[in-house]
C-alpha cells in the first residue's frame, strides 16, 4: 500500500487555527499516515519562534538559575494552542513535566528539542494518532553524525502495524544516551529518515511557500515556480543559497529514490515542486531549471609557465590550503594557470597573507594575484547539456547587460555553468540570466 510521510514546518504549526488546517490536509488523503512536525514558528513578522524562546530559556536557566521566567512564554504559547484546539487532555500537566525535565537535564539540546516534543504531543491528540518519541527511534553516532541504519530500523519497527503516527522532528538520542538535536531546520532531516524507514511512496514537505522558485524573489519579482527538479539540480541550487529544505535532508531519501514533494499548507491545491531522482526526472520543457548564487568570494589566481608539466603542482597548492583549514569551492584551471575560489569569510586578512606566502614558497609561481568581492552565479538544468547554444545565450545575455565575467566554470556534470562576476553586478546578472531563459520577469 502507498504510504506518504508528511513533515509540517514551523509556520504550519504556528497556532491552533493553522493546525486545524493541517488536520484537514492529512484527513483528505488516507495515505498520509506518518507525520513529522517542527516546533511552532512565527505567527506574524516580529513574533518569536518557539525554538528561539527555548534557546533563550536555556541561557537564562544557566546564567541566572531561573527557569520560570523563560519557560513562562513557552507555557503561554502552548496553552493557547491547546485551548484553540479544544484539547481534552490536561496539557498543563505535560508542560509541568517538561519544565521539570528541562531543569534536571540542564542541556541546551534537550531544552531546544522540547518545541517539537510538545507540538507532536498536541498534533497526535488532534489527529487521534500514536505519538512516537524521536528519542526512542532516531540515533546519532559517536562523531555526532546520524546513525542512519540504526534509526531506519528503529523507526520501521516502531511504525510497523501503526495506522497513523506523529513524531517530533529535529532531535534524537546521541551516543551518550542524551537527547541531541540536528542543526537548525533539522526536522526536514527527521522527515526524510521516517520516509526512508517506511519506504514511503513520497516524502511530502509542507511549508509556507508553493515550492522552489527559479530564482531569488528578492531579485526578480514573482519568478516561476519549479514544478520538477532532480536531486542533483536541487543540490546545486541549494548549495548556491536557494533555501526551502535543509540541505542534508535529501540524503536519506535520495539513496532509495523516494521523491520529495514540496507543498504549501496555506495553498494546498498548488502543485508545488516535485524533487525526483535523475532517472525519473521529467524535464519541464525549460532548458534551465533555476538560477542561484552567492556573494563574497575571494579568488587566488596563480600563473606559472609549464605548470601543466610540473608533477604535483596543484597538490602542493591544495596542501597549503588544507593545512590552513581553508575549503576551496572551485578550481578552474588552464595550461599555465589555476584559480582558487574561496569563501571570503575563511580568509581574513592575516590568514590570506599567510596563505599567499606559503603558496609562493611551495610552488614559486610567476604571478599570484588576489581578486576580492566576487559573486558566483550558477545556472542549473539537465536540459543544458543537450541543447546547442545554451552557453552562447547565457554569455550574450550577460554581455548585453554590460557585465564583465571574471571567470567561467562548467561543472563536469554538465548540469551547471558557474560564472563569477563582481559583487556589485550580482543582482543585475541574475536578472539578465533569468530574463534570457524564462522570459521577462513579471
Ligand atoms: N525548530 C527547529 C528550528 O527552528 C527545527 C526545525 O524547525 O526544523 O530550527
Amino acid at each position: 500500500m502507498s504510504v506518504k510521510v508528511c513533515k509540517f514546518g514551523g509556520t504550519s504549526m504556528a497556532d491552533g487555527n493553522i493546525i486545524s488546517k493541517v488536520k484537514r490536509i492529512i484527513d483528505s488523503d488516507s495515505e498520509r499516515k506518518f507525520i513529522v512536525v517542527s516546533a511552532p514558528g512565527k505567527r506574524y513578522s516580529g513574533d518569536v519562534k518557539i525554538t528561539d524562546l527555548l534557546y533563550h530559556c536555556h541561557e537564562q536557566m544557566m546564567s541566572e538559575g531561573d527557569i520560570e521566567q523563560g519557560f513562562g512564554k513557552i507555557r503561554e504559547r502552548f496553552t493557547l494552542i491547546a485551548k484553540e484546539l479544544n484539547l481534552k487532555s490536561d496539557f498543563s500537566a505535560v508542560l509541568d513535566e517538561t519544565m521539570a525535565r528541562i531543569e534536571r537535564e540542564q542541556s541546551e539540546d534537550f531544552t531546544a528539542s522540547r518545541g517539537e516534543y510538545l507540538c507532536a504531543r498536541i498534533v497526535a491528540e488532534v489527529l487521534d494518532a500514536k505519538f512516537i518519541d524521536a528519542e526512542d527511534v532516531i540515533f546519532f553516532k559517536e562523531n555526532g553524525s546520524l546513525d542512519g541504519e540504526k534509526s531506519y530500523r528503529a523507526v520501521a519497527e516502531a511504525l510497523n502495524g501503526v495506522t497513523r503516527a506523529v513524531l517530533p522532528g529535529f532531535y534524537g538520542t546521541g551516543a551518550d544516551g542524551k537527547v541531541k538535536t540536528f542543526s537548525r531546520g533539522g526536522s526536514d532531516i527527521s522527515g526524510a529518515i521516517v520516509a526512508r524507514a517506511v519506504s514511503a511512496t513520497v516524502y511530502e514537505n509542507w511549508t509556507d511557500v508553493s515550492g522552489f522558485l527559479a530564482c531569488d524573489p528578492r531579485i526578480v519579482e514573482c519568478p516561476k515556480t519549479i514544478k520538477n527538479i532532480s536531486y542533483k539540480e536541487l543540490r546545486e541550487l541549494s548549495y548556491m543559497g536557494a533555501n526551502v529544505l535543509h540541505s542534508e535532508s535529501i540524503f536519506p531519501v535520495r539513496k532509495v529514490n523516494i521523491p520529495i514533494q514540496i507543498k504549501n499548507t496555506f495553498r494546498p491545491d498548488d502543485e508545488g515542486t516535485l524533487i525526483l531522482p535523475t532517472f525519473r526526472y521529467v524535464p519541464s520543457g525549460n532548458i534551465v531549471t533555476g538560477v542561484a548564487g552567492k556573494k563574497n568570494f575571494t579568488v587566488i589566481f596563480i600563473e606559472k609557465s609549464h605548470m601543466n608539466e610540473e608533477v604535483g603542482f596543484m597538490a602542493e597548492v591544495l596542501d597549503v590550503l588544507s593545512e590552513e583549514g581553508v575549503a576551496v569551492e572551485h578550481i578552474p584551471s588552464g595550461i599555465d594557470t589555476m584559480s582558487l575560489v574561496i569563501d571570503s569569510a575563511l580568509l581574513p586578512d592575516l590568514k590570506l597573507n599567510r596563505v599567499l606566502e606559503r603558496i609562493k614558497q611551495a610552488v614559486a609561481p610567476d604571478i599570484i594575484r588576489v581578486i576580492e568581492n566576487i559573486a558566483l552565479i550558477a545556472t542549473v538544468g539537465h536540459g543544458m547539456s543537450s541543447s546547442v547554444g545554451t552557453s552562447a545565450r547565457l554569455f550574450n545575455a550577460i554581455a548585453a547587460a554590460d557585465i564583465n565575467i571574471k571567470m567561467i566554470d562548467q561543472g563536469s556534470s554538465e548540469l551547471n555553468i558557474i560564472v563569477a562576476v563582481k559583487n556589485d553586478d550580482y543582482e543585475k546578472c541574475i536578472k539578465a540570466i533569468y530574463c534570457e531563459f524564462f522570459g521577462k520577469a513579471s
Side-chain angles (χ1 to χ4, degrees), residues 363-417:
V363 294
D366 299 336
I367 298 171
I368 183 161
R369 210 159 15 103
V370 175
I371 314 161
E372 287 183 284
N373 301 319
I374 289 294
L376 296 182
I377 297 169
T379 305
V380 177
H382 284 291
M384 285 165 44
S385 61
S386 53
S387 120
V388 177
T390 308
S391 39
R393 278 178 69 187
L394 176 72
F395 299 135
N396 279 334
I398 298 174
D402 202 20
I403 297 165
N404 183 12
I405 300 178
K406 298 274 188 192
M407 197 187 69
I408 299 165
D409 191 3
Q410 176 163 25
S412 25
S413 55
E414 277 196 72
L415 186 68
N416 61 1
I417 299 175

Side-chain angles (χ1 to χ4, degrees), residues 38-39 49 51 116 170 184-187:
S38 283
K49 290 171 82 169
T51 309
E116 273 69 15
F170 189 41
R184 296 298 302 265
S187 301

